[in-house]
Amino acid sequence: VTLHLNPISSVHIHQKPLVFVLNSPLPLVWKLKTERLAPGIQRVFFVSLGSVVQFEKGNFSLSAETEEKLFPEKNEYLLQWAQKEYGAVTSFTELKISRNIYIKVGE
């Protein structure tokens, strides 16, 4: 699955830390494609067991962390976990089948 990340239109370059929870019942390779995300900013990708994140060549992989986690099975419990862990969730998306996911990040 390719995860496309770019800032909302009102933000020229996104310069804040981000946390992504990428959960799947089956192990996946998450391919990251980004535009206009500042290098050197912490970005954390939590992935379900057996999954990996592949960064683009020359991407911000040096400042990004990937961690495998055993997530709750039901989305409501996953959402509760994320809220407890980080205090807020700004976006939650559930997809049954997808090859590309487009996410706008920003204020």
Side-chain angles (χ1 to χ4, degrees):
V1 174
T2 302
L3 185 61
H4 301 265
L5 304 176
N6 57 346
I8 58 176
S9 59
S10 62
V11 174
H12 181 63
I13 299 206
H14 190 271
Q15 300 187 39
K16 293 187 177 181
L18 295 168
V19 176
F20 292 91
V21 177
L22 305 172
N23 188 27
S24 172
L26 299 173
L28 285 179
V29 174
W30 296 91
K31 295 179 183 179
L32 208 59
K33 294 205 178 274
T34 64
E35 290 182 34
R36 301 185 349 256
L37 298 185
I41 306 293
Q42 182 187 27
R43 295 176 181 103
V44 180
F45 297 86
F46 289 107
V47 296
S48 46
L49 297 179
S51 293
V52 296
V53 177
Q54 289 182 348
F55 299 96
E56 294 174 287
K57 190 175 181 182
N59 197 319
F60 53 71
S61 60
L62 294 177
S63 60
E65 285 178 52
T66 302
E67 184 179 329
E68 283 185 66
K69 253 191 167 353
L70 178 60
F71 293 118
E73 281 187 40
K74 296 189 177 214
N75 283 335
E76 62 196 77
Y77 299 124
L78 179 61
L79 187 55
Q80 287 172 3
W81 171 82
Q83 288 172 324
K84 180 180 171 196
E85 199 73 21
Y86 292 98
V89 173
T90 57
S91 177
F92 184 92
T93 303
E94 177 185 8
L95 302 167
K96 298 291 182 196
I97 297 175
S98 183
R99 291 182 191 248
N100 291 283
I101 300 171
Y102 296 85
I103 298 178
K104 299 267 190 193
V105 296
E107 301 298 322

